[in-house]
Amino acid sequence: MNKEDIKKWIKENLVLQDEARSITGQSVSAFNQSVQTGKIKAFVEFGETRKTRLYLRSELEEYAKTKKKKLS
């Protein structure tokens, strides 16, 4: 993979928390609780004091589907 392919894959597959919450349909506190309980895991995490987490879109979409089934 060249650099442009990697950038394209990242843009298509990784999201920050705001977009992740939008995909799962959760509030900030509900999303943070799902992360703390391990139901949602960051794909990659950067930083020590101020962490930046990127989430895999496909995992979030799957989580949203199973979450909705449980609520039904």
Side-chain angles (χ1 to χ4, degrees):
M1 277 185 126
N2 66 35
K3 202 175 355 180
E4 290 308 311
D5 289 337
I6 294 169
K7 283 182 187 180
K8 182 180 180 215
W9 186 90
I10 289 170
K11 285 183 180 182
E12 291 173 355
N13 294 285
L14 299 180
V15 297
L16 290 166
Q17 182 179 342
D18 285 347
E19 191 171 351
R21 286 190 306 102
S22 174
I23 292 168
T24 62
Q26 293 176 294
S27 66
V28 172
S29 59
F31 184 84
N32 288 339
Q33 183 177 16
S34 294
V35 171
Q36 287 178 334
T37 59
K39 292 177 182 172
I40 295 175
K41 293 186 172 122
F43 181 76
V44 67
E45 188 176 288
F46 302 98
E48 291 299 316
T49 20
R50 178 138 164 58
K51 295 189 186 306
T52 299
R53 295 180 177 109
L54 297 175
Y55 300 91
L56 192 58
R57 180 184 303 277
S58 60
E59 288 180 357
L60 296 167
E61 290 168 346
E62 186 60 33
Y63 174 79
K65 283 182 200 172
T66 58
K67 183 174 74 76
K68 286 180 185 169
K69 285 181 187 174
K70 289 178 185 176
L71 293 176
S72 299

